């Protein structure tokens, strides 16, 4: 199972659009958590060592924007969902 994930992450890291995919995964991971962006960060950094700062910046920016969206989702739906859970 882990070998398939490893091979797929290496394949995705080789694409020209891997930066967009990394940003998307970092964004979504902040409030849904399908898979950690580290699966892409590590192979991309190994493959493109000169662009390590750009890779880290994209992952950090995507994660921060996703955290803001996650905060606003919780802020908006707390009265509808959060309070009944606490009262239960």
């Amino acid at each position: 199972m882990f070998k398939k994930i490893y091979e797929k992450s290496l394949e995705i890291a080789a694409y020209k659009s891997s930066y967009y995919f990394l940003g998307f995964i970092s964004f979504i991971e902040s409030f849904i958590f399908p898979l950690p962006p580290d699966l892409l960060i590590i192979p991309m950094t190994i493959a493109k060592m000169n662009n390590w700062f750009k890779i880290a910046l994209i992952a950090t920016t995507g994660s921060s924007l996703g955290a803001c969206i996650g905060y606003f989702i919780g802020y908006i739906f707390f009265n509808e969902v959060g309070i009944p859970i606490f009262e239960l």
Side-chain angles (χ1 to χ4, degrees), residues 6 10 41-49 55:
Y6 175 72
L10 286 177
I41 292 172
I42 294 169
M44 285 177 68
T45 305
I46 291 171
K48 306 168 187 175
M49 285 191 173
I55 293 167

Side-chain angles (χ1 to χ4, degrees), residues 18-87:
S18 62
Y19 294 118
Y20 299 115
F21 192 68
L22 174 63
F24 178 73
I25 291 294
S26 297
F27 177 76
I28 294 297
E29 185 266 338
S30 296
F31 59 95
I32 297 177
F33 193 70
L35 61 120
D38 300 338
L39 294 174
L40 284 177
I41 292 172
I42 294 169
M44 285 177 68
T45 305
I46 291 171
K48 306 168 187 175
M49 285 191 173
N50 295 334
N51 294 337
W52 68 268
F53 187 76
K54 183 177 181 180
I55 293 167
L57 186 66
I58 290 170
T60 303
T61 304
S63 183
S64 299
L65 290 174
C68 291
I69 295 296
Y71 175 81
F72 286 121
I73 289 172
Y75 182 77
I76 291 170
F77 291 113
F78 180 74
N79 290 333
E80 289 83 16
V81 179
I83 292 176
I85 289 174
F86 285 131
E87 290 176 350

